[in-house]
Amino acid sequence: MTTTGISRGSIEARMIQNPIPWPNGARCACVISFDMDADSLIHIARPDDAHDRLYPISMGRYGPNVAIPRILETYRQLGIQQSFFLPGWCVETYPKAVEAILEGGHEIGHHGYLHEDPIEAPDQRYWFERALAAYQKYCGGKPAGYRAPVYNINQEVVDLLVEHGFRYESSMMADDIPYRVETAKGGFWEMPVHWGTDDWPPFAHYAEIGYMMPVKAPSTGLGAFWEEFDAAYEAGGFFMLIVHPFLTGRLARWRQVETWLEETLRTKDVWFARLDQVADHLDGLVARAEYSPRVEKLPYYSGPQGG
Amino acid sequence: MTTTGISRGSIEARMIQNPIPWPNGARCACVISFDMDADSLIHIARPDDAHDRLYPISMGRYGPNVAIPRILETYRQLGIQQSFFLPGWCVETYPKAVEAILEGGHEIGHHGYLHEDPIEAPDQRYWFERALAAYQKYCGGKPAGYRAPVYNINQEVVDLLVEHGFRYESSMMADDIPYRVETAKGGFWEMPVHWGTDDWPPFAHYAEIGYMMPVKAPSTGLGAFWEEFDAAYEAGGFFMLIVHPFLTGRLARWRQVETWLEETLRTKDVWFARLDQVADHLDGLVARAEYSPRVEKLPYYSGPQGG
Amino acid sequence: MTTTGISRGSIEARMIQNPIPWPNGARCACVISFDMDADSLIHIARPDDAHDRLYPISMGRYGPNVAIPRILETYRQLGIQQSFFLPGWCVETYPKAVEAILEGGHEIGHHGYLHEDPIEAPDQRYWFERALAAYQKYCGGKPAGYRAPVYNINQEVVDLLVEHGFRYESSMMADDIPYRVETAKGGFWEMPVHWGTDDWPPFAHYAEIGYMMPVKAPSTGLGAFWEEFDAAYEAGGFFMLIVHPFLTGRLARWRQVETWLEETLRTKDVWFARLDQVADHLDGLVARAEYSPRVEKLPYYSGPQGG
Amino acid sequence: MTTTGISRGSIEARMIQNPIPWPNGARCACVISFDMDADSLIHIARPDDAHDRLYPISMGRYGPNVAIPRILETYRQLGIQQSFFLPGWCVETYPKAVEAILEGGHEIGHHGYLHEDPIEAPDQRYWFERALAAYQKYCGGKPAGYRAPVYNINQEVVDLLVEHGFRYESSMMADDIPYRVETAKGGFWEMPVHWGTDDWPPFAHYAEIGYMMPVKAPSTGLGAFWEEFDAAYEAGGFFMLIVHPFLTGRLARWRQVETWLEETLRTKDVWFARLDQVADHLDGLVARAEYSPRVEKLPYYSGPQGG
């Protein structure tokens, strides 16, 4: 019932248990990661007639055709490179967007073939490697990272990532900052996601795929993200948006993101980077024994629990 | 990690890739489009007993009987004409509302017959032409434009629009500004919609049709729209509301819309217009080779994707 | 594109087409109507095991046992009388709450027997009259008014209301202000409801009955109501809350309602009244030919539409 | 229509009918109760394949591994002890979190075995006592209190609580402040919960368990809680949060909770306590005849209602 009298700063310093030292002493790492799903979402959800559903197709096409050029132009002017995740089918279907992303110095990561949920799709090896072939053909090499559609990674995918030498994964939530996932055959960096920095809850309204959120105002939806940033910045953490061109790349929303980016770059000491660059940095820290990450050992369980 | 020092304005100038020059140099075009669905929504959703569901019928009737006169009076005083979309059944059932809309110099567009979802309704030619007959009888001619119920336009409807010489369509989302949809047999202007300027997410609470949004305060729901306007205005774009008399025409909401309209007309350089006038303007620009619109070629796909 | 220069007030004056003159020239009539459903909601939704579902039962019991005394005390101190709607089963189960409500000079209206949805309950005469018997036994007479559970009034109930001489009904939404419902055999006043002044959307979170709203902060949920009041007040209209003791009677919410009531009573010219008093006033206006209400003729339809 | 002129304070004084005198004259009792469910939620919801659903498992593991140390550190610095509820399976699976909680002087209560809903789980004695064995092994004794998973307590659990001598329960909502639940064989204190102080509605977004809320900004979600506190404080009541480490223990949210705790401890006269300490205090009041609690007699009903 009595206050301790300790100062605010001393408590905050412990908000993150093992903070990562960022390049050049930056206080926070910041990644705007875009999942460019385009109309893959409707094709996977409604395989029989999706090709005739013109409204969701057009909603998805806004991403590669309108939002991606806008986003890339902002990044070009601000001089930053970021990470994009594309389903293999989108890589094949929207090669101009792929080309523009790569030209800007950005990174393209693996995001399934047709945005199929790994938990629901029986043969992950087939879909995973089909997508990989698309990346290799259009992006000139293997991706460094992976994000599972609807975050639904399973052990089969974890094993595929290790087998194919992926450097990082970004679908899990066990920490605020990057950590290691290790299996018996190898591991990778986990770049953790969170529903508080995902634009699906504030902006997605998509009856055809069973996802009906009450659309928030741009300033309300994005304002929630900036509160997450403020906390990450104070704590010296890692701030990653998981956003989508057809949602956050819309005119009114992107205008506010752009303003925030300009303001943040001007006033804060932040390291904006691609996720593969974050992985590079972390590898370097470990190699130089300057940092010891938290490790999650997988698989978590050998079978059903509570029996 | 360094700011570029470029000024705010120079970035904004590129927010829209190929901005449309509006009449008299107006900075933004603005359309308040109302879908007057009245009680068609419950009749199509619950065909067996909808006629005995007095609460949703009364909720729908608020549109033609209370909201439409209020909206038209506002428009009359402000001296603007706008676009209304009505299902054919509503045209037949609420002829006084139709008459008042037309008397005010407004436009009535095609919106299906009983608000049937084209994807779900087997024979679109039957419903489409039955609605057309209602328009021709009550509105004195063919409509210039079409909006699909629940935005669910498909290729069959696209072909019907081309066959019947429609000048514009308004159910798709592939851009922020009007664009061309072209098929082998002809095309039309697309006046794109967006969930961020639709009043269904902020205000519709309608268990009987399976659409349950948490109702926002008038200022919160409408405030999201005005943020969209601000972005469109800054970028020199196109701002269209897709709203409904029984929702946005309610007393507390319309009072705020009216105030916004007065304020915007007084302080901004905006072109308020009907969608057929927007189509006129765009046709003129193209005829005079002053503008080259983006084109979406339809059909998008010949069959299911990802197989 | 030009402003009309008309003053704000002149537009507002027309927001309501045929405003009702209120007693003593009050600018607005105001009714806080409470539906005291208690645990009837879970018994009707889960008839087999509801009696063993202690959490929803306890949530419902908060109404008659904690919220009702609090609400009545506020009304007593402020000197106002209001309307309560109770299912017949609640009248029988919570007689102390009934007694306290009546002692305060408030009105109790008909609200079904066990909150059964008339559209779903096959024999409305049975349930309607069973509830009526409960009112007559515990409330000392027939109720003057009726509100359908979940607003789902149908023609059978309308006919029962006429047959039993009810003076008003309050489940429909065809206008902002009271209007007449007329059938071949007689009619009643309709005291119209609206989802924008109902506390179900902002505050109800009730998985067991399939109604899951994201709970708003007291000031956010109630703030939306006060915006509705402001509009009704400006327009000289009718402001009615449709709220529930177990939701709006909660401590933090009621404290804000109470503050609003005090402030409104002190600063505004409002007529707080019971709905039967509103009906009295309207009858008087009509008898003295001082007002001609809008009329909705029922039944609306003789059968399914759009066939 | 006239104001009564009574002062604000005099009304507030009656907001709670029988306020509890708190230790040392504190104005309000305050409990931050955490339900540390970790990944039990996914195992119970998806028993067949939950062990392979790595995203929800990782989301749950954030609780014991990241949030719990953060929360405990805050409590340590502020010098407060609080209540945690853990399913038995979590006690067995996360012994380090259990140890750290107990070391901090906090309390661990019963929360089912695998977060099984009592209404759905056929044999409550089996699950209840299996959990009890886990507590006795890892926590060194019987818990003093119980909270039902998803609040779904039934009469069988009530009887088990009485049989096992539990001192309090915390899943019901019949009042704002602690009250007695009494059965023929004995009773316990009820520490009432409420959806307005539960972090599930503002922050939980969990498709796999069928619970999809639009995620609020930290300040919006928590701000609603603080309004509840303000009301409880003014009324001299009881303020309890029912929150979860994987939700409210997230970085941006906990930072705001911590700030609120510091501010409240510094500026308000509040008794922060564990629920078993609240029970101690209440027992003392009753023993000294200084307080007479409201009593709810159970079972409420002997069978289905309204038949």
Side-chain angles (χ1 to χ4, degrees):
Chain A
M1 202 155 73
T2 49
T3 52
T4 59
I6 46 169
S7 74
R8 173 79 219 168
S10 63
I11 293 190
E12 276 161 13
R14 269 176 294 264
M15 272 279 158
I16 290 177
Q17 289 187 77
N18 57 336
I20 297 167
W22 298 116
N24 302 317
R27 189 154 175 185
C28 184
C30 183
V31 181
I32 313 290
S33 70
F34 269 102
D35 295 355
M36 196 201 89
D37 301 328
D39 44 324
S40 67
L41 300 169
I42 191 68
H43 296 300
I44 192 72
R46 303 272 186 159
D48 293 338
D49 64 5
H51 61 284
D52 199 29
R53 291 179 175 268
L54 304 182
Y55 135 60
I57 291 171
S58 68
M59 181 163 66
R61 287 173 64 85
Y62 184 97
N65 294 329
V66 177
I68 286 289
R70 175 182 294 151
I71 293 160
L72 296 180
E73 175 64 11
T74 298
Y75 287 170
R76 190 188 66 74
Q77 293 198 38
L78 297 174
I80 61 179
Q81 280 86 42
Q82 294 291 296
S83 297
F84 294 78
F85 293 88
L86 274 68
W89 178 86
C90 292
V91 168
E92 294 167 352
T93 307
Y94 298 102
K96 279 176 68 176
V98 169
E99 198 180 341
I101 291 168
L102 295 176
E103 268 179 20
H106 309 288
E107 170 200 24
I108 293 182
H110 190 302
H111 196 42
Y113 181 72
L114 192 68
H115 210 268
E116 64 284 343
D117 177 342
I119 298 284
E120 312 265 317
D123 183 2
Q124 265 305 297
R125 179 173 295 276
Y126 168 75
W127 295 108
F128 188 92
E129 297 188 344
R130 185 171 172 187
L132 213 51
Y135 296 109
Q136 284 174 309
K137 179 172 173 195
Y138 287 88
C139 307
K142 266 191 181 179
Y146 170 87
R147 175 172 293 151
V150 296
Y151 296 155
N152 248 341
I153 190 168
N154 63 6
Q155 192 62 38
E156 188 185 4
V157 172
V158 166
D159 294 340
L160 284 164
L161 294 173
V162 170
E163 177 185 330
H164 283 284
F166 275 67
R167 301 185 56 209
Y168 73 85
E169 201 283 320
S170 182
S171 318
M172 294 192 270
M173 302 196 179
D175 210 329
D176 302 295
I177 57 172
Y179 58 90
R180 289 294 295 179
V181 167
E182 295 292 350
T183 74
K185 298 196 174 171
F188 45 76
W189 289 102
E190 177 62 34
M191 310 296 190
V193 297
H194 173 216
W195 286 116
T197 48
D198 182 308
D199 65 357
W200 218 243
F203 298 137
H205 191 80
Y206 205 155
E208 288 75 13
I209 65 170
Y211 193 96
M212 293 293 283
M213 289 290 115
V215 182
K216 287 195 195 322
S219 63
T220 307
L222 298 170
F225 296 166
W226 311 148
E227 286 191 29
E228 296 283 341
F229 170 78
D230 292 344
Y233 189 71
E234 268 196 39
F238 173 76
F239 174 70
M240 178 164 66
L241 290 183
I242 307 99
V243 288
H244 299 76
F246 85 102
L247 296 174
T248 294
R250 295 276 326 181
L251 184 60
R253 294 168 191 154
W254 189 247
R255 171 180 170 260
Q256 295 192 15
V257 175
E258 189 184 79
T259 301
W260 178 85
L261 283 170
E262 287 189 273
E263 177 75 9
T264 299
L265 284 162
R266 191 171 62 242
T267 61
K268 299 284 201 308
D269 188 11
V270 171
W271 183 47
F272 278 92
R274 301 190 311 253
L275 285 169
D276 63 335
Q277 293 171 325
V278 176
D280 286 345
H281 173 67
L282 292 166
D283 280 342
L285 288 176
V286 170
R288 297 188 303 273
E290 293 170 14
Y291 184 70
S292 176
R294 202 163 76 71
V295 177
E296 293 271 299
K297 288 203 176 127
L298 261 58
Y300 282 126
Y301 302 104
S302 56
Q305 294 297 296
Chain B
M1 202 155 70
T2 48
T3 51
T4 60
I6 47 170
S7 74
R8 173 80 219 166
S10 63
I11 294 191
E12 276 160 13
R14 269 176 292 264
M15 272 280 159
I16 290 177
Q17 290 188 75
N18 57 335
I20 297 167
W22 297 115
N24 301 318
R27 189 155 175 184
C28 183
C30 184
V31 180
I32 314 291
S33 70
F34 269 102
D35 295 356
M36 196 201 91
D37 301 328
D39 45 323
S40 67
L41 300 170
I42 190 69
H43 296 300
I44 192 72
R46 305 270 188 161
D48 292 339
D49 64 6
H51 61 285
D52 199 30
R53 292 179 175 266
L54 305 182
Y55 135 61
I57 292 171
S58 68
M59 181 163 66
R61 287 172 64 86
Y62 184 98
N65 293 329
V66 177
I68 286 289
R70 174 182 294 151
I71 293 160
L72 296 180
E73 175 64 11
T74 299
Y75 288 169
R76 190 188 66 75
Q77 293 198 37
L78 297 176
I80 61 179
Q81 281 86 41
Q82 294 290 295
S83 297
F84 295 77
F85 293 88
L86 273 68
W89 178 86
C90 292
V91 168
E92 294 166 350
T93 307
Y94 298 103
K96 279 176 67 177
V98 168
E99 198 180 341
I101 291 169
L102 294 176
E103 269 180 20
H106 309 288
E107 170 200 23
I108 293 182
H110 190 302
H111 196 43
Y113 181 72
L114 193 67
H115 210 268
E116 63 285 342
D117 177 342
I119 298 283
E120 313 263 317
D123 183 3
Q124 266 304 298
R125 178 173 295 276
Y126 169 75
W127 295 108
F128 187 93
E129 297 187 345
R130 185 171 171 187
L132 213 50
Y135 297 109
Q136 284 173 308
K137 179 173 174 193
Y138 287 87
C139 307
K142 265 190 180 180
Y146 171 86
R147 176 172 293 152
V150 298
Y151 296 155
N152 249 341
I153 190 169
N154 62 7
Q155 192 63 40
E156 188 184 4
V157 172
V158 166
D159 293 339
L160 284 164
L161 294 172
V162 170
E163 176 184 330
H164 284 284
F166 275 66
R167 301 185 55 207
Y168 73 85
E169 201 283 322
S170 181
S171 318
M172 294 193 269
M173 302 197 178
D175 210 329
D176 303 296
I177 57 173
Y179 58 90
R180 289 295 294 179
V181 167
E182 295 293 350
T183 74
K185 298 196 175 172
F188 45 75
W189 290 102
E190 177 62 35
M191 309 295 189
V193 297
H194 173 215
W195 286 117
T197 48
D198 183 307
D199 66 357
W200 218 243
F203 297 137
H205 191 79
Y206 205 155
E208 288 73 13
I209 64 170
Y211 193 97
M212 292 293 282
M213 289 291 115
V215 182
K216 288 195 195 320
S219 63
T220 306
L222 299 170
F225 296 165
W226 312 148
E227 287 191 28
E228 296 282 341
F229 169 78
D230 292 344
Y233 189 72
E234 267 197 40
F238 173 77
F239 175 70
M240 178 166 64
L241 291 183
I242 307 99
V243 289
H244 299 75
F246 85 102
L247 296 175
T248 295
R250 295 274 328 180
L251 183 60
R253 294 168 191 154
W254 188 249
R255 171 180 172 259
Q256 295 192 15
V257 174
E258 189 183 79
T259 301
W260 178 85
L261 283 171
E262 287 190 273
E263 177 76 8
T264 299
L265 284 163
R266 191 172 60 244
T267 61
K268 299 285 201 308
D269 189 10
V270 171
W271 183 47
F272 278 92
R274 302 188 312 253
L275 284 169
D276 62 335
Q277 294 170 324
V278 175
D280 285 345
H281 173 66
L282 292 166
D283 281 342
L285 288 176
V286 171
R288 297 188 301 274
E290 292 171 15
Y291 184 70
S292 176
R294 202 163 75 72
V295 177
E296 293 270 300
K297 288 202 176 127
L298 261 58
Y300 281 126
Y301 302 106
S302 56
Q305 294 297 297
Chain C
M1 201 155 71
T2 48
T3 51
T4 61
I6 48 170
S7 75
R8 172 81 220 168
S10 64
I11 293 191
E12 276 161 12
R14 270 176 291 263
M15 272 278 159
I16 289 177
Q17 289 187 76
N18 57 336
I20 297 167
W22 298 116
N24 301 318
R27 188 155 175 185
C28 183
C30 184
V31 180
I32 314 290
S33 70
F34 269 102
D35 295 356
M36 196 200 90
D37 301 328
D39 44 324
S40 66
L41 299 170
I42 190 70
H43 296 300
I44 192 71
R46 304 271 188 160
D48 293 338
D49 65 5
H51 61 283
D52 200 28
R53 292 180 174 266
L54 306 182
Y55 135 61
I57 291 172
S58 69
M59 181 163 65
R61 286 172 65 85
Y62 184 98
N65 294 329
V66 177
I68 286 290
R70 174 181 295 150
I71 293 160
L72 296 180
E73 175 64 13
T74 298
Y75 288 168
R76 192 188 65 76
Q77 292 197 38
L78 297 175
I80 61 180
Q81 281 85 42
Q82 294 290 295
S83 297
F84 295 78
F85 293 88
L86 273 69
W89 178 86
C90 292
V91 168
E92 294 166 350
T93 307
Y94 298 103
K96 280 177 68 177
V98 169
E99 199 180 340
I101 291 168
L102 295 176
E103 269 180 20
H106 309 288
E107 170 201 23
I108 294 182
H110 191 301
H111 196 43
Y113 181 72
L114 192 67
H115 210 267
E116 63 285 341
D117 176 342
I119 298 284
E120 312 264 316
D123 183 3
Q124 265 305 296
R125 178 173 295 275
Y126 169 75
W127 294 108
F128 187 92
E129 297 186 345
R130 184 171 172 187
L132 213 50
Y135 297 108
Q136 285 173 308
K137 179 172 172 193
Y138 288 88
C139 307
K142 266 191 181 178
Y146 170 86
R147 174 172 294 151
V150 297
Y151 295 154
N152 249 342
I153 189 168
N154 62 6
Q155 191 62 38
E156 188 184 5
V157 173
V158 166
D159 294 338
L160 284 163
L161 294 173
V162 170
E163 176 184 332
H164 283 284
F166 275 66
R167 301 184 55 209
Y168 73 86
E169 201 284 320
S170 182
S171 319
M172 294 192 270
M173 303 196 178
D175 210 330
D176 303 295
I177 57 173
Y179 58 90
R180 289 294 295 179
V181 167
E182 295 293 350
T183 74
K185 298 193 173 172
F188 45 76
W189 290 101
E190 177 62 35
M191 309 296 190
V193 297
H194 173 216
W195 286 117
T197 49
D198 182 308
D199 65 356
W200 218 243
F203 297 138
H205 190 81
Y206 205 154
E208 289 74 14
I209 65 170
Y211 194 96
M212 293 292 283
M213 289 290 115
V215 182
K216 288 195 195 322
S219 62
T220 306
L222 298 170
F225 296 166
W226 312 147
E227 286 190 28
E228 296 282 342
F229 169 78
D230 291 345
Y233 189 72
E234 267 196 39
F238 173 76
F239 174 70
M240 178 164 66
L241 291 184
I242 307 99
V243 289
H244 299 77
F246 86 103
L247 296 175
T248 295
R250 295 273 330 177
L251 184 58
R253 294 168 191 154
W254 189 248
R255 171 180 172 259
Q256 295 192 15
V257 175
E258 189 183 80
T259 301
W260 178 85
L261 283 171
E262 286 190 272
E263 177 76 8
T264 300
L265 284 163
R266 192 172 60 244
T267 62
K268 299 285 201 307
D269 188 10
V270 172
W271 182 47
F272 278 92
R274 302 189 312 254
L275 285 169
D276 62 334
Q277 295 170 324
V278 175
D280 286 345
H281 173 66
L282 292 166
D283 280 342
L285 289 176
V286 171
R288 298 188 301 275
E290 294 170 14
Y291 184 70
S292 176
R294 202 163 74 73
V295 177
E296 293 271 299
K297 288 202 178 128
L298 261 58
Y300 282 126
Y301 302 104
S302 57
Q305 294 297 296
Chain D
M1 202 154 71
T2 48
T3 51
T4 60
I6 48 170
S7 75
R8 171 80 219 168
S10 64
I11 294 190
E12 277 161 13
R14 269 176 292 263
M15 273 278 159
I16 289 177
Q17 289 187 77
N18 57 336
I20 297 166
W22 298 117
N24 302 317
R27 189 156 175 184
C28 184
C30 184
V31 181
I32 313 290
S33 70
F34 269 103
D35 294 356
M36 196 201 90
D37 300 329
D39 45 323
S40 68
L41 300 170
I42 191 69
H43 296 300
I44 192 71
R46 304 272 187 159
D48 293 338
D49 64 6
H51 61 284
D52 199 30
R53 292 179 175 265
L54 305 182
Y55 135 61
I57 292 172
S58 68
M59 181 164 65
R61 286 172 65 85
Y62 184 97
N65 293 328
V66 176
I68 286 290
R70 173 181 295 151
I71 293 160
L72 296 180
E73 175 63 12
T74 299
Y75 288 169
R76 191 188 66 76
Q77 292 198 37
L78 298 175
I80 61 179
Q81 280 86 42
Q82 294 291 294
S83 296
F84 294 77
F85 293 88
L86 273 68
W89 178 86
C90 293
V91 168
E92 295 166 351
T93 307
Y94 298 102
K96 279 176 68 176
V98 168
E99 199 181 338
I101 291 168
L102 295 175
E103 268 180 20
H106 308 288
E107 170 200 23
I108 293 182
H110 191 301
H111 196 42
Y113 181 72
L114 192 67
H115 210 267
E116 64 284 343
D117 176 342
I119 298 283
E120 312 264 316
D123 182 3
Q124 265 304 298
R125 179 173 295 276
Y126 169 75
W127 294 109
F128 187 92
E129 297 188 344
R130 185 171 171 187
L132 214 51
Y135 297 109
Q136 286 175 307
K137 179 172 173 194
Y138 287 87
C139 308
K142 265 190 181 177
Y146 170 86
R147 175 172 292 153
V150 297
Y151 295 154
N152 248 342
I153 189 167
N154 62 6
Q155 192 62 38
E156 188 184 5
V157 172
V158 166
D159 293 339
L160 284 164
L161 293 173
V162 170
E163 176 185 331
H164 284 284
F166 275 65
R167 302 184 54 210
Y168 73 86
E169 201 283 321
S170 182
S171 319
M172 294 192 271
M173 303 197 178
D175 210 329
D176 302 295
I177 57 172
Y179 58 90
R180 289 295 294 179
V181 167
E182 295 293 350
T183 74
K185 298 195 173 170
F188 45 76
W189 290 102
E190 178 61 35
M191 309 296 189
V193 297
H194 173 216
W195 286 117
T197 48
D198 182 307
D199 65 358
W200 218 242
F203 297 138
H205 191 80
Y206 205 155
E208 288 74 13
I209 66 171
Y211 193 96
M212 293 292 284
M213 289 289 116
V215 182
K216 287 193 193 327
S219 62
T220 307
L222 298 169
F225 296 166
W226 312 148
E227 286 191 28
E228 296 283 341
F229 169 78
D230 291 345
Y233 189 72
E234 267 197 40
F238 173 76
F239 174 70
M240 178 165 65
L241 291 184
I242 307 99
V243 288
H244 300 75
F246 85 103
L247 296 176
T248 295
R250 294 275 329 180
L251 184 59
R253 294 168 190 154
W254 189 248
R255 171 180 172 260
Q256 295 192 15
V257 174
E258 190 184 77
T259 301
W260 178 84
L261 283 171
E262 287 190 272
E263 177 75 8
T264 300
L265 284 163
R266 190 171 63 243
T267 61
K268 300 285 200 309
D269 188 10
V270 172
W271 182 46
F272 277 93
R274 301 188 313 253
L275 285 169
D276 62 335
Q277 295 171 324
V278 175
D280 285 345
H281 172 67
L282 292 166
D283 281 342
L285 289 175
V286 171
R288 298 188 301 273
E290 293 170 15
Y291 184 71
S292 176
R294 202 164 74 73
V295 177
E296 293 271 299
K297 288 202 176 126
L298 262 57
Y300 282 126
Y301 302 104
S302 56
Q305 293 298 296

